[in-house]
Amino acid sequence: MASVNKVILLGHLGQDPELRYTTGGEPVVNISVATAEQWKDRITGEKREATEWHRVGIFGKPAEIAAQYLRKGSQVFVEGKIRSKKYTDKSGIERIAFEIICVSFTMGIVS
């Protein structure tokens, strides 16, 4: 059976990327990408907007490039796959978080 796990995002960074390294020495950067949706409310006629925040992990040489060139507010086009992680919060409740694992990204796209 065929399956596809692909995510495409075009948005802006919410903070500067911070480069760190795994215990094996692989570079890693985590970024937060904001995407916004705009629409006109059918009842009131007012413009509405909703922003979604996406956690994106970048690994290897692309992580070093992201850390060097991306800054808060930078526009970025990300292609990747979604991964879920289970964890237990401070209250002892089991939760699931979703993260985009970056396969490729492009900086400075003009919309």
Side-chain angles (χ1 to χ4, degrees), residues 54-72:
H54 312 275
R55 289 181 42 89
V56 178
I58 306 173
F59 299 86
K61 183 67 175 169
E64 293 175 331
I65 294 168
Q68 184 176 356
Y69 293 106
L70 293 177
R71 294 291 170 257
K72 180 179 179 177

Side-chain angles (χ1 to χ4, degrees), residues 5-7 20 22 26 28 30 54-59 80-87 95-103:
N5 181 353
K6 183 166 185 139
V7 175
R20 59 186 176 77
T22 65
E26 181 180 26
V28 178
N30 289 314
H54 312 275
R55 289 181 42 89
V56 178
I58 306 173
F59 299 86
K81 56 188 175 181
I82 195 161
R83 180 192 296 165
S84 60
K85 291 182 183 179
K86 282 187 179 182
Y87 69 97
R95 301 205 181 260
I96 299 175
F98 296 93
E99 180 179 45
I100 310 303
I101 304 303
C102 180
V103 173

Side-chain angles (χ1 to χ4, degrees), residues 87-99:
Y87 69 97
T88 305
D89 69 10
K90 293 177 183 177
S91 306
I93 299 170
E94 193 170 282
R95 301 205 181 260
I96 299 175
F98 296 93
E99 180 179 45

Side-chain angles (χ1 to χ4, degrees), residues 42-56:
R42 291 182 189 178
I43 297 170
T44 65
E46 294 178 31
K47 284 186 178 181
R48 302 278 185 182
E49 183 173 341
T51 302
E52 290 288 334
W53 288 95
H54 312 275
R55 289 181 42 89
V56 178

Side-chain angles (χ1 to χ4, degrees), residues 5-52:
N5 181 353
K6 183 166 185 139
V7 175
I8 298 173
L9 299 172
L10 176 60
H12 292 86
L13 264 60
Q15 61 191 32
D16 290 346
E18 291 184 28
L19 182 63
R20 59 186 176 77
Y21 294 88
T22 65
T23 54
E26 181 180 26
V28 178
V29 163
N30 289 314
I31 59 174
S32 294
V33 178
T35 57
E37 179 182 4
Q38 298 176 353
W39 71 93
K40 193 174 191 178
D41 188 290
R42 291 182 189 178
I43 297 170
T44 65
E46 294 178 31
K47 284 186 178 181
R48 302 278 185 182
E49 183 173 341
T51 302
E52 290 288 334

